[in-house]
Every structure is written in C-alpha cells, then in structure tokens.
Amino acid sequence: MECMKKPKILIASDLFLVSFSSMGAPVHVLCLLCLSLLQGAQSATFTVTNRCGYTVWPGILSNAGVSQPSTTGFVLYPGQSRAVSVAAAWSGRMWGRTLCEEDSSGRFTCATGDCGSGAVECSGRGADPPATLAEFTLAGGGGGGGDDFYDVSLVDGYNLPILVAPQSPAANGSRCQVTGCVADLNKSCPAELRVVKASGGGAIACNSACEAFGAAQYCCSGAYGTPSTCAPTSYSLLFKNACPRAYSYAYDDATSTFTCAAAGGGYDVVFCPGTSSLKSGGNPEAKGLPPTYSTMAFSGNGHSSTTRISLFVLLMIISSATWTQCW
C-alpha cells in the first residue's frame, strides 16, 4: 500500500524527505529506505584479525533460528583484518580454519576446523573438532538493555589461539572483559590427544578428551550429564591451567562466561594474539591476558559512538514522521 499524503508541517524529517523527493524518489520508497537504515543501525560489528604467521580461514555459524551474516567464511592472510556485520541480537560462533587447500576438482578442505561445505563459505555448517571456538549471544543494541554473553571454548578441542575483546565501553555496571586462549596448546598437547598432518610432523591441533576417547565422564553425558556429576578431569585441567579464562569442559561456566552491557557495539576477534597490543576498535593496548581474573575494562571509540547515536536519533525522527504514512 502506498504512503498517505504527507502532512503540511515541515520538521527535520520532512526536510530530509523533500531533498530526496526533489530527485524524483517516491515517498513509499523513502519509507523503505528509512526502515532499512534503521535496521542497518541495529547491528554489531566483529573485527576479525589474523596475527598468526600463516593464513587463517575464519568460519562463522549462527545458532538455530538466527539468520546467517553476509559471509560465513573467508580468508585472512597474516596481518589482515576484516569487519563482519551481524544482527544486533545475533548468536553463534566463530573459529579459525588452518592448512586449507582446493583439490583438482575445486573442493575446498582444511586440516583443522573444516566445516565440510567444500567451499570457503561454511553456509550453515559448523567446525569439525578439534577447533577453538569464540561463542556469542548478543542482547541487541538501541537501548533495549540486557547483557551480551561471550566465551572462548576448548570443549571441542583446540587448533589455534583466539582472543575476544568487546569494543563497547563498560556500561550500567557491567565490566566488559577480554577473554580467550593465547597459549599454544599444540606444543603441550598430550600424545594421546595430538592431531598431526598425514604427512607427519608436529601437532596441528589438540583433541578434547571427549573427542579422543568418547567416554561419558569426559563428554559430560549419561550418568555424568549434570554439573554435580561431571567434574574436571586431568585433561580438562591441562586446558584450564594453560588458558584459565576459556571453557575447558561442558560445565566450566563460573570462570569462563563473560558479559558486557549491550550498547550496539561489537567485538574484536584476534587469532594468534600472543603478547602484541590489541588496538582495533579504539581499545587501549591489551598485552595478552592477565595471569588472574582481574578486570580489564575497555572503552570504545567515543567519536564513532557519538556519530552512531546521532545517526540513530536522526533516523528515529525520520521514522516517526514516515511510519504512519506507510502500510
């Protein structure tokens, strides 16, 4: 249905519409433009960076019922970064694939973290263990309240170091902390968990005990399917000691899940962060992870936040003037 006739009173939004109407754009098209801009404003950005000395192919999987972002897999050469936009209330996981190649038929596969799609895009497929996972449940921005939840998990094993840092400033009493696993667990991986290339050489990934042995006490299944019956094992403790902020087994929630007040921002996801500084997204320098669970608060880029807020207010004015004219 076309928009109804515009009111005679001119406000800021009318001036905006007049400037576009003068170029011949129908008002109902402008209504759709306003709505699409508003939807675009309600998004979060993940800045994915590769600081490894080798190429990494990030993979992205949305949770069930959540729309996939515009890309679900891409290549990052050493030193490269890429921004990926997701919905403000997105939930899912990210990981890195390594030692990838195309065969003579054009089928794409990776030695670690492969998603089985046969292409660089994972297209709704998850990582084949072992793989280090960065997991997110975003509450959504725009003043709706609530907290984002995020973690780095070794429950499905480990293939490369990952660091996650919120770009949003701490707000409403929430402490936005950095988390991750920056240790090289491939070097210290027990022989019975080690994954090596078919051609031999050093470990390229480290299995979880669940993946390696399939026993209920390692998988927190069957009689061990509750927090009270599934305790840490010598293998999960090996992961926990190396990466105290990462999930080491299924019920390792208390020291491994982090929250940040939803403010419409995003997150830095860094492969192989080592001890280098994390400057992306306006964060102050963060050299690796602290040895204890002390708070590491990050403040976002104030200028960009102000710009986003101003744009959102303007679009809200536009929307209020045009919404009643559409549909």
PDB file of all heavy atoms in Angstrom, residues 14-41:
ATOM      1  N   ASP A  14      10.918  15.946   7.385  1.00  0.00           N
ATOM      2  CA  ASP A  14      10.311  16.373   6.131  1.00  0.00           C
ATOM      3  C   ASP A  14      11.345  16.991   5.215  1.00  0.00           C
ATOM      4  O   ASP A  14      11.333  16.771   4.006  1.00  0.00           O
ATOM      5  CB  ASP A  14       9.206  17.399   6.410  1.00  0.00           C
ATOM      6  CG  ASP A  14       8.014  16.766   7.113  1.00  0.00           C
ATOM      7  OD1 ASP A  14       7.306  15.979   6.465  1.00  0.00           O
ATOM      8  OD2 ASP A  14       7.830  17.043   8.309  1.00  0.00           O
ATOM      9  N   LEU A  15      12.243  17.776   5.810  1.00  0.00           N
ATOM     10  CA  LEU A  15      13.296  18.387   5.000  1.00  0.00           C
ATOM     11  C   LEU A  15      14.158  17.307   4.372  1.00  0.00           C
ATOM     12  O   LEU A  15      14.572  17.415   3.226  1.00  0.00           O
ATOM     13  CB  LEU A  15      14.149  19.317   5.875  1.00  0.00           C
ATOM     14  CG  LEU A  15      13.401  20.531   6.447  1.00  0.00           C
ATOM     15  CD1 LEU A  15      14.337  21.317   7.371  1.00  0.00           C
ATOM     16  CD2 LEU A  15      12.893  21.436   5.326  1.00  0.00           C
ATOM     17  N   PHE A  16      14.402  16.248   5.138  1.00  0.00           N
ATOM     18  CA  PHE A  16      15.186  15.122   4.620  1.00  0.00           C
ATOM     19  C   PHE A  16      14.450  14.480   3.446  1.00  0.00           C
ATOM     20  O   PHE A  16      15.035  14.194   2.407  1.00  0.00           O
ATOM     21  CB  PHE A  16      15.383  14.106   5.762  1.00  0.00           C
ATOM     22  CG  PHE A  16      16.154  12.883   5.365  1.00  0.00           C
ATOM     23  CD1 PHE A  16      17.542  12.863   5.444  1.00  0.00           C
ATOM     24  CD2 PHE A  16      15.496  11.733   4.938  1.00  0.00           C
ATOM     25  CE1 PHE A  16      18.248  11.727   5.097  1.00  0.00           C
ATOM     26  CE2 PHE A  16      16.202  10.604   4.589  1.00  0.00           C
ATOM     27  CZ  PHE A  16      17.578  10.602   4.675  1.00  0.00           C
ATOM     28  N   LEU A  17      13.108  14.286   3.607  1.00  0.00           N
ATOM     29  CA  LEU A  17      12.330  13.645   2.562  1.00  0.00           C
ATOM     30  C   LEU A  17      12.192  14.534   1.343  1.00  0.00           C
ATOM     31  O   LEU A  17      12.254  14.055   0.213  1.00  0.00           O
ATOM     32  CB  LEU A  17      10.943  13.289   3.101  1.00  0.00           C
ATOM     33  CG  LEU A  17      10.902  12.126   4.119  1.00  0.00           C
ATOM     34  CD1 LEU A  17       9.507  12.019   4.711  1.00  0.00           C
ATOM     35  CD2 LEU A  17      11.314  10.831   3.474  1.00  0.00           C
ATOM     36  N   VAL A  18      12.031  15.848   1.567  1.00  0.00           N
ATOM     37  CA  VAL A  18      11.898  16.774   0.443  1.00  0.00           C
ATOM     38  C   VAL A  18      13.139  16.742  -0.416  1.00  0.00           C
ATOM     39  O   VAL A  18      13.090  16.750  -1.643  1.00  0.00           O
ATOM     40  CB  VAL A  18      11.609  18.204   0.953  1.00  0.00           C
ATOM     41  CG1 VAL A  18      11.787  19.212  -0.162  1.00  0.00           C
ATOM     42  CG2 VAL A  18      10.196  18.281   1.525  1.00  0.00           C
ATOM     43  N   SER A  19      14.308  16.673   0.249  1.00  0.00           N
ATOM     44  CA  SER A  19      15.558  16.673  -0.512  1.00  0.00           C
ATOM     45  C   SER A  19      15.635  15.452  -1.414  1.00  0.00           C
ATOM     46  O   SER A  19      16.196  15.513  -2.506  1.00  0.00           O
ATOM     47  CB  SER A  19      16.760  16.709   0.441  1.00  0.00           C
ATOM     48  OG  SER A  19      16.819  15.535   1.211  1.00  0.00           O
ATOM     49  N   PHE A  20      15.077  14.295  -0.960  1.00  0.00           N
ATOM     50  CA  PHE A  20      15.071  13.113  -1.788  1.00  0.00           C
ATOM     51  C   PHE A  20      13.918  13.128  -2.781  1.00  0.00           C
ATOM     52  O   PHE A  20      14.051  12.679  -3.913  1.00  0.00           O
ATOM     53  CB  PHE A  20      14.967  11.848  -0.914  1.00  0.00           C
ATOM     54  CG  PHE A  20      16.292  11.427  -0.344  1.00  0.00           C
ATOM     55  CD1 PHE A  20      16.738  11.955   0.858  1.00  0.00           C
ATOM     56  CD2 PHE A  20      17.095  10.522  -1.005  1.00  0.00           C
ATOM     57  CE1 PHE A  20      17.953  11.575   1.392  1.00  0.00           C
ATOM     58  CE2 PHE A  20      18.321  10.141  -0.478  1.00  0.00           C
ATOM     59  CZ  PHE A  20      18.742  10.677   0.722  1.00  0.00           C
ATOM     60  N   SER A  21      12.752  13.687  -2.353  1.00  0.00           N
ATOM     61  CA  SER A  21      11.614  13.737  -3.254  1.00  0.00           C
ATOM     62  C   SER A  21      11.896  14.622  -4.448  1.00  0.00           C
ATOM     63  O   SER A  21      11.406  14.389  -5.544  1.00  0.00           O
ATOM     64  CB  SER A  21      10.381  14.255  -2.500  1.00  0.00           C
ATOM     65  OG  SER A  21      10.016  13.367  -1.474  1.00  0.00           O
ATOM     66  N   SER A  22      12.703  15.659  -4.231  1.00  0.00           N
ATOM     67  CA  SER A  22      13.042  16.556  -5.325  1.00  0.00           C
ATOM     68  C   SER A  22      13.827  15.842  -6.407  1.00  0.00           C
ATOM     69  O   SER A  22      13.915  16.292  -7.538  1.00  0.00           O
ATOM     70  CB  SER A  22      13.846  17.759  -4.797  1.00  0.00           C
ATOM     71  OG  SER A  22      15.077  17.320  -4.266  1.00  0.00           O
ATOM     72  N   MET A  23      14.436  14.693  -6.032  1.00  0.00           N
ATOM     73  CA  MET A  23      15.176  13.909  -7.018  1.00  0.00           C
ATOM     74  C   MET A  23      14.275  12.866  -7.665  1.00  0.00           C
ATOM     75  O   MET A  23      14.736  12.030  -8.412  1.00  0.00           O
ATOM     76  CB  MET A  23      16.378  13.228  -6.348  1.00  0.00           C
ATOM     77  CG  MET A  23      17.427  14.215  -5.838  1.00  0.00           C
ATOM     78  SD  MET A  23      18.896  13.392  -5.178  1.00  0.00           S
ATOM     79  CE  MET A  23      18.237  12.690  -3.681  1.00  0.00           C
ATOM     80  N   GLY A  24      12.972  12.914  -7.341  1.00  0.00           N
ATOM     81  CA  GLY A  24      12.023  12.031  -8.007  1.00  0.00           C
ATOM     82  C   GLY A  24      11.784  10.713  -7.322  1.00  0.00           C
ATOM     83  O   GLY A  24      11.138   9.831  -7.879  1.00  0.00           O
ATOM     84  N   ALA A  25      12.270  10.542  -6.080  1.00  0.00           N
ATOM     85  CA  ALA A  25      12.072   9.266  -5.389  1.00  0.00           C
ATOM     86  C   ALA A  25      10.687   9.218  -4.780  1.00  0.00           C
ATOM     87  O   ALA A  25      10.286  10.146  -4.078  1.00  0.00           O
ATOM     88  CB  ALA A  25      13.126   9.102  -4.280  1.00  0.00           C
ATOM     89  N   PRO A  26       9.883   8.157  -5.022  1.00  0.00           N
ATOM     90  CA  PRO A  26       8.560   8.030  -4.419  1.00  0.00           C
ATOM     91  C   PRO A  26       8.670   7.974  -2.899  1.00  0.00           C
ATOM     92  O   PRO A  26       9.629   7.429  -2.356  1.00  0.00           O
ATOM     93  CB  PRO A  26       8.037   6.701  -4.978  1.00  0.00           C
ATOM     94  CG  PRO A  26       8.893   6.419  -6.168  1.00  0.00           C
ATOM     95  CD  PRO A  26      10.219   7.029  -5.895  1.00  0.00           C
ATOM     96  N   VAL A  27       7.669   8.524  -2.209  1.00  0.00           N
ATOM     97  CA  VAL A  27       7.725   8.583  -0.756  1.00  0.00           C
ATOM     98  C   VAL A  27       7.732   7.188  -0.146  1.00  0.00           C
ATOM     99  O   VAL A  27       8.412   6.936   0.847  1.00  0.00           O
ATOM    100  CB  VAL A  27       6.535   9.407  -0.218  1.00  0.00           C
ATOM    101  CG1 VAL A  27       6.515   9.393   1.302  1.00  0.00           C
ATOM    102  CG2 VAL A  27       6.612  10.833  -0.731  1.00  0.00           C
ATOM    103  N   HIS A  28       6.982   6.208  -0.761  1.00  0.00           N
ATOM    104  CA  HIS A  28       6.974   4.873  -0.172  1.00  0.00           C
ATOM    105  C   HIS A  28       8.342   4.214  -0.267  1.00  0.00           C
ATOM    106  O   HIS A  28       8.710   3.396   0.572  1.00  0.00           O
ATOM    107  CB  HIS A  28       5.893   3.986  -0.810  1.00  0.00           C
ATOM    108  CG  HIS A  28       6.161   3.600  -2.227  1.00  0.00           C
ATOM    109  ND1 HIS A  28       5.827   4.402  -3.285  1.00  0.00           N
ATOM    110  CD2 HIS A  28       6.734   2.491  -2.754  1.00  0.00           C
ATOM    111  CE1 HIS A  28       6.170   3.800  -4.416  1.00  0.00           C
ATOM    112  NE2 HIS A  28       6.727   2.646  -4.122  1.00  0.00           N
ATOM    113  N   VAL A  29       9.113   4.578  -1.297  1.00  0.00           N
ATOM    114  CA  VAL A  29      10.492   4.076  -1.393  1.00  0.00           C
ATOM    115  C   VAL A  29      11.337   4.670  -0.277  1.00  0.00           C
ATOM    116  O   VAL A  29      12.184   4.011   0.328  1.00  0.00           O
ATOM    117  CB  VAL A  29      11.099   4.399  -2.770  1.00  0.00           C
ATOM    118  CG1 VAL A  29      12.577   4.037  -2.797  1.00  0.00           C
ATOM    119  CG2 VAL A  29      10.350   3.654  -3.869  1.00  0.00           C
ATOM    120  N   LEU A  30      11.084   5.955   0.008  1.00  0.00           N
ATOM    121  CA  LEU A  30      11.814   6.609   1.088  1.00  0.00           C
ATOM    122  C   LEU A  30      11.487   5.973   2.426  1.00  0.00           C
ATOM    123  O   LEU A  30      12.350   5.857   3.300  1.00  0.00           O
ATOM    124  CB  LEU A  30      11.477   8.109   1.119  1.00  0.00           C
ATOM    125  CG  LEU A  30      11.855   8.889  -0.143  1.00  0.00           C
ATOM    126  CD1 LEU A  30      11.398  10.334  -0.022  1.00  0.00           C
ATOM    127  CD2 LEU A  30      13.348   8.812  -0.391  1.00  0.00           C
ATOM    128  N   CYS A  31      10.222   5.565   2.602  1.00  0.00           N
ATOM    129  CA  CYS A  31       9.844   4.881   3.838  1.00  0.00           C
ATOM    130  C   CYS A  31      10.667   3.611   4.016  1.00  0.00           C
ATOM    131  O   CYS A  31      11.185   3.332   5.094  1.00  0.00           O
ATOM    132  CB  CYS A  31       8.359   4.536   3.824  1.00  0.00           C
ATOM    133  SG  CYS A  31       7.267   5.963   3.829  1.00  0.00           S
ATOM    134  N   LEU A  32      10.771   2.845   2.929  1.00  0.00           N
ATOM    135  CA  LEU A  32      11.555   1.608   2.985  1.00  0.00           C
ATOM    136  C   LEU A  32      13.020   1.893   3.239  1.00  0.00           C
ATOM    137  O   LEU A  32      13.703   1.164   3.957  1.00  0.00           O
ATOM    138  CB  LEU A  32      11.387   0.823   1.673  1.00  0.00           C
ATOM    139  CG  LEU A  32       9.986   0.269   1.400  1.00  0.00           C
ATOM    140  CD1 LEU A  32       9.928  -0.339   0.006  1.00  0.00           C
ATOM    141  CD2 LEU A  32       9.625  -0.778   2.442  1.00  0.00           C
ATOM    142  N   LEU A  33      13.502   3.004   2.641  1.00  0.00           N
ATOM    143  CA  LEU A  33      14.894   3.391   2.863  1.00  0.00           C
ATOM    144  C   LEU A  33      15.124   3.697   4.336  1.00  0.00           C
ATOM    145  O   LEU A  33      16.110   3.267   4.928  1.00  0.00           O
ATOM    146  CB  LEU A  33      15.236   4.616   2.010  1.00  0.00           C
ATOM    147  CG  LEU A  33      16.615   5.252   2.244  1.00  0.00           C
ATOM    148  CD1 LEU A  33      17.713   4.258   1.911  1.00  0.00           C
ATOM    149  CD2 LEU A  33      16.775   6.518   1.417  1.00  0.00           C
ATOM    150  N   CYS A  34      14.181   4.448   4.934  1.00  0.00           N
ATOM    151  CA  CYS A  34      14.314   4.789   6.345  1.00  0.00           C
ATOM    152  C   CYS A  34      14.365   3.526   7.200  1.00  0.00           C
ATOM    153  O   CYS A  34      15.192   3.403   8.109  1.00  0.00           O
ATOM    154  CB  CYS A  34      13.145   5.663   6.804  1.00  0.00           C
ATOM    155  SG  CYS A  34      13.099   7.287   6.023  1.00  0.00           S
ATOM    156  N   LEU A  35      13.478   2.581   6.912  1.00  0.00           N
ATOM    157  CA  LEU A  35      13.430   1.356   7.691  1.00  0.00           C
ATOM    158  C   LEU A  35      14.694   0.540   7.520  1.00  0.00           C
ATOM    159  O   LEU A  35      15.223  -0.029   8.473  1.00  0.00           O
ATOM    160  CB  LEU A  35      12.213   0.523   7.286  1.00  0.00           C
ATOM    161  CG  LEU A  35      10.851   1.131   7.641  1.00  0.00           C
ATOM    162  CD1 LEU A  35       9.724   0.251   7.109  1.00  0.00           C
ATOM    163  CD2 LEU A  35      10.714   1.303   9.140  1.00  0.00           C
ATOM    164  N   SER A  36      15.209   0.482   6.305  1.00  0.00           N
ATOM    165  CA  SER A  36      16.428  -0.297   6.069  1.00  0.00           C
ATOM    166  C   SER A  36      17.609   0.340   6.771  1.00  0.00           C
ATOM    167  O   SER A  36      18.484  -0.348   7.286  1.00  0.00           O
ATOM    168  CB  SER A  36      16.705  -0.416   4.565  1.00  0.00           C
ATOM    169  OG  SER A  36      16.970   0.844   3.991  1.00  0.00           O
ATOM    170  N   LEU A  37      17.627   1.700   6.805  1.00  0.00           N
ATOM    171  CA  LEU A  37      18.704   2.384   7.514  1.00  0.00           C
ATOM    172  C   LEU A  37      18.621   2.101   9.001  1.00  0.00           C
ATOM    173  O   LEU A  37      19.637   1.912   9.678  1.00  0.00           O
ATOM    174  CB  LEU A  37      18.642   3.892   7.238  1.00  0.00           C
ATOM    175  CG  LEU A  37      19.054   4.339   5.839  1.00  0.00           C
ATOM    176  CD1 LEU A  37      18.772   5.828   5.652  1.00  0.00           C
ATOM    177  CD2 LEU A  37      20.527   4.032   5.582  1.00  0.00           C
ATOM    178  N   LEU A  38      17.388   2.094   9.523  1.00  0.00           N
ATOM    179  CA  LEU A  38      17.211   1.790  10.932  1.00  0.00           C
ATOM    180  C   LEU A  38      17.672   0.378  11.248  1.00  0.00           C
ATOM    181  O   LEU A  38      18.327   0.132  12.254  1.00  0.00           O
ATOM    182  CB  LEU A  38      15.744   1.962  11.321  1.00  0.00           C
ATOM    183  CG  LEU A  38      15.270   3.402  11.551  1.00  0.00           C
ATOM    184  CD1 LEU A  38      13.750   3.430  11.651  1.00  0.00           C
ATOM    185  CD2 LEU A  38      15.905   3.996  12.778  1.00  0.00           C
ATOM    186  N   GLN A  39      17.357  -0.557  10.366  1.00  0.00           N
ATOM    187  CA  GLN A  39      17.801  -1.927  10.573  1.00  0.00           C
ATOM    188  C   GLN A  39      19.315  -2.012  10.521  1.00  0.00           C
ATOM    189  O   GLN A  39      19.944  -2.737  11.284  1.00  0.00           O
ATOM    190  CB  GLN A  39      17.174  -2.854   9.536  1.00  0.00           C
ATOM    191  CG  GLN A  39      15.674  -3.031   9.722  1.00  0.00           C
ATOM    192  CD  GLN A  39      15.038  -3.804   8.591  1.00  0.00           C
ATOM    193  OE1 GLN A  39      15.658  -4.008   7.548  1.00  0.00           O
ATOM    194  NE2 GLN A  39      13.802  -4.212   8.786  1.00  0.00           N
ATOM    195  N   GLY A  40      19.937  -1.240   9.600  1.00  0.00           N
ATOM    196  CA  GLY A  40      21.384  -1.247   9.499  1.00  0.00           C
ATOM    197  C   GLY A  40      22.040  -0.695  10.742  1.00  0.00           C
ATOM    198  O   GLY A  40      23.116  -1.110  11.156  1.00  0.00           O
ATOM    199  N   ALA A  41      21.350   0.340  11.362  1.00  0.00           N
ATOM    200  CA  ALA A  41      21.901   0.924  12.580  1.00  0.00           C
ATOM    201  C   ALA A  41      21.876  -0.084  13.714  1.00  0.00           C
ATOM    202  O   ALA A  41      22.678  -0.019  14.630  1.00  0.00           O
ATOM    203  CB  ALA A  41      21.110   2.169  12.961  1.00  0.00           C
TER     204      ALA A  41
END
